[in-house]
Amino acid sequence: MSTPMTRRDLRERMESGEAPAMASVPPSPRRRRGIGRMLGDVLLWIAALGGAVCIVLVILAVTAQITLIMFRTGSMSPTIPAGSVAVVQHVPASAIEVGDVVTVDREGELPITHRVTSVADGPTAEQRVITMRGDANAAEDPFPYTVSSVRIVLFSVPAVATLIVGMGNPVVLGALTAAATLLVVWAFWPRSPRRRERGVT
């Protein structure tokens, strides 16, 4: 049975030029993360980021009345091309100015999003009569709109409407849900402790 080596013994051997036996010092184990584990962590971070974005959007929709709209046509090109998604905020008619891009809800028809070309007082103090025209259109819309509120475009992101529409597909939603479930189960599945290196007790 060998006598344990103290720090003093080790220092004396070093000063005398005698190298200590390296075999007596147990190697420190190193934890190595596999590629699969690292990929799983990246996917978890992406999923967490997506969840955080969804939570922020819900909070903004409730507190600041900020929502999203999709552009199916190119009437606002090149400013907002078809396939873009715009972030809009609900504002009173009194806040409308010429040059704003706003969405007007029409009874019995789809909403329309064009640029405001003129603003006039409406039948009541809260209402305004506005005319609009799409940036890609040669003429203004056929008739003015009497509004008490609109949704004003804050900014837009091109070429993401198709992705959002695709994610609304039941098959895609089911696949994403199953993948997220498997990812969470894999991340939190209990693992056996790593085996200690041979020769270390």
Side-chain angles (χ1 to χ4, degrees):
M1 183 175 179
S2 59
T3 305
M5 181 180 296
T6 64
R7 291 184 179 181
R8 182 176 179 182
D9 296 335
L10 181 60
R11 185 166 50 253
E12 290 178 353
R13 289 194 178 189
M14 294 286 290
E15 291 175 354
S16 62
E18 182 180 355
M22 299 303 295
S24 61
V25 181
S28 58
R30 295 181 179 179
R31 299 179 61 184
R32 296 182 179 178
R33 298 167 64 87
I35 296 178
R37 183 67 178 176
M38 294 177 63
L39 179 61
D41 290 344
V42 170
L43 293 176
L44 282 174
W45 276 108
I46 293 175
L49 180 61
V53 170
C54 291
I55 293 173
V56 170
L57 289 176
V58 171
I59 294 174
L60 290 176
V62 174
T63 60
Q65 297 184 332
I66 292 177
T67 54
L68 304 177
I69 61 170
M70 291 182 289
F71 286 78
R72 299 180 182 275
T73 67
S75 64
M76 280 301 298
S77 297
T79 307
I80 308 176
S84 300
V85 170
V87 177
V88 298
Q89 184 176 23
H90 192 273
V91 297
S94 58
I96 302 174
E97 297 180 356
V98 174
D100 290 339
V101 178
V102 301
T103 299
V104 173
D105 294 318
R106 301 180 293 177
E107 187 175 356
E109 298 183 65
L110 293 175
I112 185 169
T113 305
H114 282 166
R115 191 178 300 278
V116 177
T117 56
S118 68
V119 182
D121 293 337
T124 66
E126 293 80 16
Q127 293 180 318
R128 296 291 186 274
V129 179
I130 63 175
T131 58
M132 300 196 303
R133 179 171 64 88
D135 288 359
N137 297 343
E140 293 183 347
D141 296 352
F143 46 83
Y145 307 94
T146 301
V147 295
S148 57
S149 64
V150 296
R151 286 173 285 168
I152 187 170
V153 175
L154 302 178
F155 64 90
S156 62
V157 181
V160 296
T162 303
L163 176 62
I164 294 178
V165 171
M167 292 182 65
N169 186 291
V171 177
V172 176
L173 284 176
L176 290 175
T177 302
T181 302
L182 291 175
L183 182 61
V184 172
V185 171
W186 174 83
F188 292 98
W189 191 265
R191 292 174 173 79
S192 58
R194 296 175 179 269
R195 294 182 176 178
R196 296 182 178 180
E197 296 186 7
R198 293 181 179 180
V200 179
T201 58

